[in-house]
Amino acid sequence: MSPSATAKVDSPPPAPLPPVNGFDRFFKITERGSTVSREIRGGFATFFAMAYIIVLNPIILGSAKDMYGHQLNGGQLVTATVLTAAFTTLLMGVIGNVPIALAAGLGVNTVVALQLAPRMSWPDAMGMVVLAGFVVMLLVATGLRERVMNAVPLGLRKGIAIGIGLFIMLIGLVDSGFVSRIPDAAHTTVPLQLGGNGHLLGWPVLVFILGVLLTLALLVRKIPGAILISIVAMTGLAMIINAVATVPSWGLTTPKWPGNPVANPDFGLIGKISLFGGFDKVGVLTGTLFVFTVLLSTFFDAMGTIMGISDEAELTDAEGNMPGINRVLFVDGIAVAAGGFSSSSATTCFVESTAGVGEGARTGFANVVTGGLFTVALFLTPIATMVPSQAATPALLAVGFLILSGSIRQIDWDDWTIAIPAFVTMVMMPFTYSITNGIGMGFLTFTILRVVAGRFREVPVAMYAVSAVFAFYYMMPALGLT
């Protein structure tokens, strides 16, 4: 090796540039190698990638009935969903200083709508969500949640990140209509098919394909704002197509300028909770299990998302830990409780935040932008929901690739007690359509393989405890506890 090469290897990394002003110092924009313009673009990209929740969450919760036959008001659900997303996203940006936006969690809202509400009243069900949030905050305050995250080996952390990358790619493909679920009436074990009937047909799918090609082309050319440019361009194209062609359906959102862009928020659901009323309806044991189910889903969904995004945003140290993680985890606990308090279901970290990270977001200022857009959406919901999923989801495929390419080489594939659990984690997330299931099966596999290999002393105590929790969780139906 030449002397110059040796000097290059041994030389310390360059010192970070000094902050430009107090605003820069607060958000550490320059310190993290970002710029204000990149944070703004990232904030916009994240908002457009997750704006579908404004429509989808009210549909999921509003279509269910509680034990008395009551349904939640659709307009009030829109307000509750947007308000909670705005508040918690801003809170995460200012306190956590990370580009991780929050909104009503998919999956847990289905648990609330289909498991909790039919056994009690809506205020009772939302009260249990609030209790789950309190437990999360308690776990953070005692340091247990951070201890669990720090106990995860680096190789398994990379598996979680890759699993999230594959998961959001599948979300993008499904939400865009590029692939779809084969109906049960087809009597086949194949779960998905190309397009709606095995073929790529229709203008919406074309918009998605063009969006993917445009996004990837801009990334290859290293054009600043590639993801945001693609979302805006494809939204414009979709609006033109919708105006001149007959399109049966765009899905949840139609790319059409609304006749009345202003919508008055209705805060009627805020605070409509009963903390312990559900226990009177279903009993202490069942009520506790309900809270446990909500807790487990939000706890590990958020954990996986935080790990994946912080790694992609280069916010972790050499061991894969993120400085200041406790603040992030505590805000996530507040978000769970806030979602229950507003009756919008548990709010959690959104994996679609990777769209903003892919655009260059590295600080909480991107969250301030995203939260600000949600705040505006309180009054301009028709405009906020104008971007069709076919224009926003190409970003998820691009970011999924970026996560995969950045993490897969960092797994020790020669150590099968790490490689196999990492593999299980990364494939189970998309195959079960759940971050929590991917983490749970990966943790169980890791613990079992290390014990079988005689390396049980290398398994942290926290991993044994969490693996036992997941084993109990998966056995609950067999034990008659669900």
Side-chain angles (χ1 to χ4, degrees), residues 165 316 322:
T316 54
M322 183 170 68

Side-chain angles (χ1 to χ4, degrees), residues 270-291:
I270 309 301
K272 300 292 185 180
I273 63 167
S274 171
L275 276 182
F276 301 103
F279 292 94
D280 292 334
K281 306 291 195 309
V282 299
V284 175
L285 177 60
T286 301
T288 302
L289 291 173
F290 278 162
V291 174

Side-chain angles (χ1 to χ4, degrees), residues 122-192:
W122 281 111
D124 296 335
M126 294 304 172
M128 289 194 162
V129 175
V130 173
L131 290 175
F134 288 163
V135 175
V136 172
M137 285 185 272
L138 179 63
L139 292 174
V140 175
T142 57
L144 290 176
R145 194 175 188 188
E146 184 176 6
R147 195 174 305 165
V148 170
M149 292 187 69
N150 291 340
V152 182
L154 183 61
L156 198 50
R157 288 169 183 258
K158 298 301 179 182
I160 292 172
I162 294 170
I164 287 175
L166 295 173
F167 183 44
I168 65 173
M169 291 176 74
L170 181 58
I171 290 174
L173 292 171
V174 171
D175 289 354
S176 66
F178 191 85
V179 299
S180 64
R181 176 181 177 274
I182 298 177
D184 294 336
H187 300 297
T188 176
T189 57
V190 180
L192 296 174

Side-chain angles (χ1 to χ4, degrees), residues 60-416:
I60 293 174
L61 293 178
S63 61
K65 297 179 180 180
D66 66 8
M67 67 179 298
Y68 302 109
H70 298 153
Q71 290 180 283
L72 298 177
N73 178 272
Q76 293 176 343
L77 278 173
V78 170
T79 297
T81 301
V82 177
L83 178 65
T84 311
F87 168 70
T88 54
T89 298
L90 287 167
L91 201 65
M92 183 67 83
V94 174
I95 296 179
N97 195 23
V98 290
I100 302 177
L102 302 96
L106 291 176
V108 68
N109 55 6
T110 305
V111 170
V112 173
L114 300 182
Q115 288 185 237
L116 272 65
R119 306 279 298 274
M120 59 193 72
S121 70
W122 281 111
D124 296 335
M126 294 304 172
M128 289 194 162
V129 175
V130 173
L131 290 175
F134 288 163
V135 175
V136 172
M137 285 185 272
L138 179 63
L139 292 174
V140 175
T142 57
L144 290 176
R145 194 175 188 188
E146 184 176 6
R147 195 174 305 165
V148 170
M149 292 187 69
N150 291 340
V152 182
L154 183 61
L156 198 50
R157 288 169 183 258
K158 298 301 179 182
I160 292 172
I162 294 170
I164 287 175
L166 295 173
F167 183 44
I168 65 173
M169 291 176 74
L170 181 58
I171 290 174
L173 292 171
V174 171
D175 289 354
S176 66
F178 191 85
V179 299
S180 64
R181 176 181 177 274
I182 298 177
D184 294 336
H187 300 297
T188 176
T189 57
V190 180
L192 296 174
Q193 63 185 349
L194 187 66
N197 57 359
H199 303 281
L200 296 177
L201 299 172
W203 290 107
V205 174
L206 178 62
V207 170
F208 170 74
I209 294 172
L210 292 176
V212 171
L213 295 175
L214 177 60
T215 303
L216 296 178
L218 293 173
L219 287 174
V220 168
R221 296 287 297 179
K222 301 187 185 304
I223 303 297
I227 291 175
L228 186 56
I229 290 172
S230 175
I231 292 174
V232 173
M234 289 303 105
T235 299
L237 176 61
M239 291 177 67
I240 295 172
I241 292 174
N242 190 68
V244 300
T246 301
V247 181
S249 174
W250 289 90
L252 286 175
T253 57
T254 301
K256 179 181 179 182
W257 187 260
N260 182 13
V262 178
N264 294 322
D266 186 341
F267 302 99
L269 287 177
I270 309 301
K272 300 292 185 180
I273 63 167
S274 171
L275 276 182
F276 301 103
F279 292 94
D280 292 334
K281 306 291 195 309
V282 299
V284 175
L285 177 60
T286 301
T288 302
L289 291 173
F290 278 162
V291 174
F292 173 75
T293 301
V294 174
L295 170 67
L296 199 66
S297 297
T298 56
F299 187 103
F300 288 101
D301 258 28
M303 190 185 95
T305 302
I306 291 168
M307 282 184 172
I309 294 175
S310 62
D311 187 68
E312 179 64 17
E314 300 176 351
L315 301 178
T316 54
D317 56 24
E319 287 74 38
N321 299 322
M322 183 170 68
I325 185 66
N326 236 31
R327 295 194 302 273
V328 175
L329 297 176
F330 195 78
V331 172
D332 177 67
I334 294 174
V336 175
F341 183 79
S342 68
S343 297
S344 63
S345 180
T347 296
T348 188
C349 301
F350 249 55
V351 72
E352 283 82 357
S353 301
T354 51
V357 173
E359 195 57 75
R362 296 291 181 271
T363 77
F365 182 54
N367 259 36
V368 173
V369 174
T370 303
L373 291 171
F374 270 115
T375 303
V376 173
L378 271 174
F379 306 92
L380 301 175
T381 301
I383 295 179
T385 56
M386 191 179 65
V387 178
S389 59
Q390 293 80 6
T393 49
L396 302 184
L397 266 71
V399 173
F401 164 75
L402 294 175
I403 293 175
L404 187 69
S405 63
S407 298
I408 197 165
R409 290 188 294 266
Q410 300 182 50
I411 296 174
D412 184 1
W413 294 103
D414 294 326
D415 182 354
W416 285 15

